[in-house]
Amino acid sequence: MSLLTDQRRQILEEMGVDVWSLRDKTGVASISLPDESSFEEAETKSQEANSESENDWFSLQKSVQSCQACKLSKSRTQTVFGSGNNNAELLLIGEAPGAEEDRQGLPFVGKAGKLLDAMLYAIDLNREQVFICNVLKCRPPNNRNPQPDEVEACASFLTSQIESIKPRVILALGRFAAHRLLETDAPVYKMRENSNNLPGTEIPVVVTYHPASLLRNPEQKAESWLDLCKVKSLLESSLS
Ligand code: SF4
């Protein structure tokens, strides 16, 4: 009979190994297990799965870095893959890198990035706890809008990121992200009002204004706060 750590219990449960508990003479719960080799086998498989998923993520980053699938590859300084926790419960998706993002290779830097940080802070989150990326991984020249052929060419990268992260909730920042994710061309105010799921999944997609739009139109901040409250509530309910 051996005591079972939470980590080992989780690994075994993930592997589908049945565990059952007894109480020892002191009344402390202990766990009887099939045998020690089940732990080792389960831990090895779990480590292999984690390592495989880290390799996939690394390959995806490499593929983005070398991508030349659309004309933006000619004008970019560097690609902007995204940043944060690749096991995040919340995935934030914006439109495309701007000039500063293109220079630094990071999403949402500068004034819009600071505002995004404040928005996350307002719901008790920070950048290390979420993952942030864009529909396009390269900057459109002069910050023009993404073009349909560019969104199409870049689509598989975003899809792979979503499949790998498996977020509980997605926050779409602005209309380009919302249109790409929800396969619609509805206006932002309409998508904000709806309960949306990522097509083909049960992942809720909350739509809000892009931080750059909030900087230009501060009156939208009150509505944006409501959207953030929706995100917080969805995250909490997904854990209960
Ligand atoms: Fe490739 Fe996307 Fe960059 Fe176009 S925007 S070159 S598809 S990574």
Side-chain angles (χ1 to χ4, degrees):
M1 191 179 294
S2 60
L3 289 171
L4 186 66
T5 64
D6 287 347
Q7 186 189 15
R8 280 186 156 185
R9 176 197 285 276
Q10 190 182 353
I11 290 168
L12 286 166
E13 285 175 354
E14 282 170 6
M15 297 303 300
V17 174
D18 288 335
V19 295
W20 48 280
S21 62
L22 293 174
R23 296 204 170 262
D24 64 16
K25 287 177 191 161
T26 64
V28 175
S30 61
I31 308 297
S32 290
L33 300 167
D35 57 51
E36 186 65 21
S37 66
S38 294
F39 281 133
E40 286 161 12
E41 190 186 341
E43 280 177 330
T44 303
K45 284 188 180 167
S46 173
Q47 281 162 3
E48 282 171 1
N50 285 343
S51 151
E52 203 174 307
S53 118
E54 283 303 314
N55 285 344
D56 289 349
W57 188 252
F58 184 67
S59 303
L60 185 59
Q61 284 178 297
K62 287 288 194 201
S63 301
V64 169
Q65 269 170 17
S66 59
C67 179
Q68 300 195 352
C70 83
K71 55 190 174 297
L72 298 181
S73 63
K74 307 278 185 292
S75 53
R76 73 186 176 213
T77 304
Q78 59 190 315
T79 56
V80 181
F81 181 76
S83 69
N85 178 352
N86 60 353
N87 286 309
E89 289 168 358
L90 176 61
L91 172 61
L92 295 93
I93 303 175
E95 174 181 321
E100 200 51 42
E101 286 83 5
D102 177 67
R103 256 193 297 277
Q104 295 191 30
L106 292 168
F108 285 93
V109 290
K111 280 187 185 167
K114 283 208 172 74
L115 179 55
L116 186 61
D117 289 342
M119 290 164 71
L120 287 172
Y121 184 73
I123 52 169
D124 300 320
L125 289 172
N126 60 48
R127 286 204 185 214
E128 285 70 45
Q129 294 169 296
V130 303
F131 194 82
I132 305 174
C133 64
N134 286 301
V135 170
L136 294 185
K137 311 306 181 198
C138 303
R139 180 195 179 207
N142 305 315
N143 293 345
R144 67 156 167 74
N145 289 336
Q147 294 176 347
D149 61 318
E150 296 159 357
V151 173
E152 177 68 29
C154 215
S156 66
F157 291 137
L158 183 59
T159 301
S160 297
Q161 286 177 311
I162 295 170
E163 286 173 355
S164 177
I165 295 169
K166 301 182 184 63
R168 291 181 194 273
V169 181
I170 294 176
L171 179 60
L173 300 163
R175 73 187 163 107
F176 283 98
H179 289 173
R180 156 69 178 87
L181 292 167
L182 300 176
E183 299 168 3
T184 171
D185 56 4
V188 167
Y189 80 86
K190 198 79 200 151
M191 291 182 284
R192 282 189 60 252
E193 288 167 1
N194 296 342
S195 292
N196 313 291
N197 276 2
L198 188 70
T201 77
E202 293 185 354
I203 303 173
V205 177
V206 177
V207 177
T208 195
Y209 300 103
H210 192 284
S213 170
L214 294 177
L215 289 172
R216 290 191 302 270
N217 308 287
E219 71 281 2
Q220 292 174 340
K221 284 185 182 171
E223 291 170 84
S224 179
W225 170 241
L226 295 178
D227 302 331
L228 290 172
C229 291
K230 204 193 285 184
V231 167
K232 189 171 170 63
S233 157
L234 283 165
L235 285 171
E236 285 170 353
S237 64
S238 74
L239 291 173
S240 59

